[in-house]
Amino acid sequence: MKRRKTPSPIFQGRRFLLMLILLTLIGVLLLRAIWLEIYQRDWLQEQADKRQTSIVKIPASRGMIVDRNGDPLAISSPVESLWCNPSKLIEARAQLRKEYEQALQAADARKGTAEEEKAKALELASLRFQRLEQALAKIESELELKPGELLKRLNESKDKKFFYLGRLLSPEVAEAFLNLNIEGVGSTQEYRRFYPMTETAGQLVGITDVDGKGIEGIEKAKNELLAGKNGRKRVVLDGKRRSVEDVDRIEDMVPGQMIQLSIDRRIQYLAYRALLAQVTQLKAQAGSVVVMDAHTGEVLAMANYPSFNPNNRKEVDLASSRNRAVTDSFEPGSTLKPLTVAAALESGAIRPDIEVDTSPGHLNFGKYKVQDPTNYGTLSIAQILAKSSNVGASRLALLMNQRDHWMFLNRVGLGRITESGLIGETEGKLTNYVNWGQVDRASHGYGYGLSTSLLQLTHAYTPFAAQGVLYPVSIYKLDASPSNGQQVMSPDTAKAVLRMMEAVVQAGGTGQKAVVEGYRIAGKTGTAYKYINGKYRNDKYMTSFIGIAPASQPRLVVAVQIDEPKTNDSGGRAAAPVFAKIMAESLRLLDIAPDNLPNLKQAEHTTQQGVTAGGT
């Protein structure tokens, strides 16, 4: 009988030691697990969330800008902005290029050989390289970059972790790139601004920068309301850091508000078209137009040339982006004479039926001379406006107390901004009356020695068309008729001056080219020499025409300014024809009835005869 072997004490000791070590490890792991579960749970969850989820921005859609009829002037469309890790994209491109070159070499192998299947596989792989090159080319084309420029920028930024391949790209271009599934490439949804009116309303509507912030025009003035507020959400990411699922809405996005302007895009278009044609034909430096509803103070059109297309930021420069009708001040010249007449009537210095002796055709103030083109002799006030007599206007100004003259000009808005809400508005220049000498008083009478913007001057004319009431300027559509107008002159004065201004466009007047068939027109021409380097230049001047229609029941005020025309060197020849085109079309679009048709004249004449016969 065999005897059982007794286990070795050494073996038993080793087994016990191993079991002890194993139990110790298990215990340590259990303690670690308990520790992590109880004390490190929040931290671990946070780390997991960082790797698997991300908080992303929900871009707010920018509010629309529309005209008074609801037609769009600025809208936003969703686009994509592509970004990447430059080093990873460069490495991926190098790898795809290598596969492409291998495919070209394999294509030379004979068909039917063992290499044929390998060549086909490599050829399929090489298609990704071709698609990558095509996608890069599309981005360059959309961004108007030279071929190879994008790769050059990538290589210059290879030490960075983030690089924009392209901002505000069309979804089609971005999708073509994302479909390549290249590591380190992603996209962000943004909005690109689109301006249907292009350069027609460039300075007025303005423009946004690449980040969607308003930098000019209404876009800048109302940026806070238009921008809205971005939201935030938590999303789940895949292995390539792409969003695959929304988890939580942290903060709601608030879309931008819609801004409705007082502008009528139809009148805006025809105003810009007429201005462009005239400035080009006369080879002028620039031009501006303002169309205003005198009964509400609303601006129906505001056009400038040169202009710019806000859809193409590369064309934008300081000269073209300036809203000249608002930012530029100038000496108004003869267009101020109706205001001089109104001020003299309001002060009681003259009556509407007086006559003024302008002989011998000039006034001397020491070295300073006020003169007319010829000796007009004795003129009525209407004839002073019709012939644009500087001497006559100066004599009227000298009849007034200088304080009364200053107060009237200030009352109609000169020397202060209109508070239209437009960016960069100038207040012009109207010095205090205590500093006026005889020369100042005389020169102010015919529009020199002070300055104003075209918007200010247009606004100052509106009381002639509104029974002497001046309504605040508004570039935004009003929901109701304004009730905060200021009576700046009596209705009798407004009516009298309006009737006098009709003589300007009649036979013998300087504004005959402002005639609009079927309507009575009241207006004034202006030609002001520019003050440059301490002296007036007789070869550089600003021409203008401001008119009101229909004169029997005034509604619209249209102001036209042409800067330095090379030909037709007066307001009557350079600016008045533009006024006639714009006013004619505006009256038609707004369905304002004619007041100067032949049959209408005949009916009025018959009515007057009947009244006379009945009275006798």
Side-chain angles (χ1 to χ4, degrees):
M1 184 174 179
K2 293 184 179 179
R3 299 174 63 181
R4 294 177 61 184
K5 289 185 176 180
T6 304
S8 169
I10 297 177
F11 175 76
Q12 289 182 343
R14 289 177 178 174
R15 185 171 61 180
F16 178 77
L17 180 61
L18 288 174
M19 291 181 65
L20 183 62
I21 292 173
L22 181 60
L23 289 173
T24 302
L25 290 174
I26 292 172
V28 170
L29 291 175
L30 286 173
L31 290 173
R32 180 61 176 168
I34 294 171
W35 172 265
L36 293 176
E37 179 67 22
I38 297 176
Y39 298 103
Q40 296 288 301
R41 181 175 182 175
D42 293 341
W43 181 83
L44 289 172
Q45 186 64 51
E46 181 182 347
Q47 295 302 310
D49 288 344
K50 286 182 179 179
R51 289 162 173 78
Q52 298 175 9
T53 65
S54 177
I55 296 176
V56 298
K57 178 180 71 174
I58 307 174
S61 58
R62 193 171 178 85
M64 291 177 61
I65 300 176
V66 299
D67 80 338
R68 67 185 301 105
N69 300 312
D71 293 324
L73 300 176
I75 56 178
S76 293
S77 57
V79 291
E80 297 287 336
S81 290
L82 281 175
W83 50 265
C84 71
N85 183 320
S87 60
K88 289 186 177 181
L89 181 56
I90 292 171
E91 290 174 7
R93 181 178 179 275
Q95 179 61 32
L96 291 175
R97 183 181 182 88
K98 181 179 179 182
E99 293 176 0
Y100 175 68
E101 292 172 348
Q102 289 175 350
L104 291 178
Q105 294 174 2
D108 295 334
R110 294 180 180 179
K111 290 185 179 182
T113 65
E115 297 293 326
E116 183 177 352
E117 294 299 325
K118 181 180 178 181
K120 288 182 179 179
L122 288 172
E123 185 174 355
L124 290 173
S126 71
L127 289 176
R128 292 187 64 203
F129 176 72
Q130 296 178 35
R131 290 200 298 267
L132 173 60
E133 295 298 288
Q134 291 170 0
L136 288 170
K138 286 181 180 179
I139 294 175
E140 289 177 333
S141 175
E142 187 155 332
L143 298 179
E144 298 182 3
L145 300 176
K146 296 178 181 178
E149 179 69 21
L150 191 55
L151 279 175
K152 180 182 177 182
R153 295 182 182 181
L154 266 173
N155 285 309
E156 291 174 349
S157 305
K158 62 183 178 181
D159 294 332
K160 299 178 181 179
K161 297 295 182 181
F162 183 89
F163 175 79
Y164 271 119
L165 286 168
R167 297 288 304 274
L168 311 182
L169 299 172
S170 63
E172 296 79 13
V173 171
E175 185 178 3
F177 206 101
L178 292 172
N179 286 340
L180 296 172
N181 292 320
I182 297 175
E183 185 180 357
V185 175
S187 69
T188 303
Q189 187 186 57
E190 295 185 296
Y191 289 91
R192 180 169 60 191
R193 210 63 164 158
F194 177 65
Y195 302 91
M197 293 286 285
T198 61
E199 70 272 12
T200 305
Q203 296 96 342
L204 176 62
V205 176
I207 190 174
T208 60
D209 61 16
V210 71
D211 293 315
K213 181 181 179 182
I215 55 176
E216 291 290 347
I218 299 298
E219 292 278 27
K220 181 177 181 180
K222 292 294 182 179
N223 182 68
E224 188 172 344
L225 293 177
L226 288 165
K229 185 179 180 182
N230 293 329
R232 294 189 303 156
K233 64 181 179 180
R234 182 177 285 105
V235 299
V236 176
L237 304 177
D238 63 9
K240 295 184 178 180
R241 304 293 294 171
R242 294 179 300 187
S243 173
V244 294
E245 182 184 358
D246 291 352
V247 176
D248 184 26
R249 183 69 61 92
I250 300 173
E251 186 177 0
D252 288 334
M253 178 268 289
V254 180
Q257 296 182 26
M258 183 183 75
I259 300 296
Q260 187 166 30
L261 304 185
S262 59
I263 298 299
D264 187 319
R265 64 178 292 170
R266 301 169 302 171
I267 299 177
Q268 179 72 24
Y269 173 75
L270 66 91
Y272 178 78
R273 182 183 62 185
L275 180 67
L276 169 63
Q278 189 74 339
V279 170
T280 303
Q281 180 181 343
L282 301 183
K283 300 179 180 179
Q285 290 291 320
S288 298
V289 171
V290 175
V291 181
M292 188 175 291
D293 188 329
H295 294 173
T296 64
E298 291 175 302
V299 178
L300 302 181
M302 182 179 289
N304 297 274
Y305 185 83
S307 187
F308 70 98
N309 183 357
N311 293 311
N312 186 353
R313 291 186 179 87
K314 293 185 177 180
E315 291 183 358
V316 180
D317 57 48
L318 182 61
S320 63
S321 65
R322 194 169 76 245
N323 190 346
R324 298 169 185 269
V326 173
T327 63
D328 291 12
S329 61
F330 63 99
E331 290 181 301
S334 295
T335 51
L336 199 76
K337 289 173 182 174
L339 297 177
T340 301
V341 172
L345 289 170
E346 283 293 289
S347 69
I350 62 170
R351 299 186 311 274
D353 58 350
I354 71 164
E355 292 183 336
V356 177
D357 184 9
T358 66
S359 300
H362 60 81
L363 287 175
N364 292 319
F365 299 92
K367 295 181 179 179
Y368 185 79
K369 178 186 286 188
V370 177
Q371 59 185 11
D372 288 332
T374 186
N375 182 6
Y376 292 126
T378 301
L379 297 174
S380 67
I381 301 180
Q383 289 174 323
I384 288 175
L385 297 180
K387 296 184 178 298
S388 200
S389 170
N390 293 337
V391 174
S394 295
R395 288 194 183 279
L396 292 179
L398 291 170
L399 289 174
M400 280 185 283
N401 177 284
Q402 59 198 52
R403 180 178 180 275
D404 292 339
H405 193 185
W406 179 90
M407 288 187 68
F408 179 85
L409 293 178
N410 182 259
R411 204 158 58 236
V412 296
L414 272 61
R416 53 192 173 92
I417 62 174
T418 65
E419 297 183 355
S420 63
L422 292 168
I423 296 297
E425 185 176 358
T426 179
E427 63 181 15
K429 178 185 177 183
L430 180 64
T431 58
N432 193 282
Y433 62 88
V434 297
N435 300 317
W436 291 5
Q438 286 289 94
V439 173
D440 296 312
R441 294 175 61 193
S443 61
H444 289 354
Y446 62 98
Y448 281 84
L450 51 82
S451 65
T452 177
S453 70
L454 189 63
L455 178 62
Q456 281 179 313
L457 196 55
T458 309
H459 189 217
Y461 265 63
T462 58
F464 296 132
Q467 296 291 310
V469 177
L470 182 72
Y471 294 101
V473 174
S474 178
I475 197 67
Y476 307 104
K477 184 179 179 180
L478 302 177
D479 295 328
S481 299
S483 58
N484 55 344
Q486 179 187 2
Q487 192 80 43
V488 296
M489 65 181 78
S490 69
D492 289 341
T493 295
K495 186 176 180 180
V497 177
L498 189 68
R499 188 168 56 249
M500 294 172 189
M501 285 195 290
E502 286 191 72
V504 175
V505 300
Q506 295 170 357
T510 57
Q512 296 177 58
K513 291 183 180 294
V515 170
V516 176
E517 185 177 356
Y519 293 89
R520 288 167 54 189
I521 303 296
K524 186 67 189 79
T525 57
T527 305
Y529 294 110
K530 288 187 171 183
Y531 190 73
I532 302 174
N533 296 329
K535 63 179 181 179
Y536 285 98
R537 295 278 299 273
N538 58 12
D539 60 337
K540 293 184 181 295
Y541 36 82
M542 191 79 74
T543 63
S544 54
F545 184 91
I546 305 179
I548 299 168
S552 62
Q553 293 182 325
R555 171 77 181 279
L556 299 182
V557 180
V558 175
V560 179
Q561 183 184 79
I562 306 294
D563 186 5
E564 294 187 25
K566 297 297 185 290
T567 57
N568 296 342
D569 56 349
S570 71
R573 290 190 293 268
V578 183
F579 163 88
K581 292 178 183 178
I582 296 172
M583 182 62 86
E585 289 294 316
S586 299
L587 293 168
R588 180 184 63 82
L589 287 170
L590 298 177
D591 199 22
I592 297 175
D595 64 344
N596 196 32
L597 295 175
N599 57 349
L600 185 61
K601 288 182 179 179
Q602 182 63 36
E604 289 177 350
H605 180 66
T606 303
T607 302
Q608 288 175 357
Q609 285 182 330
V611 171
T612 303
T616 58

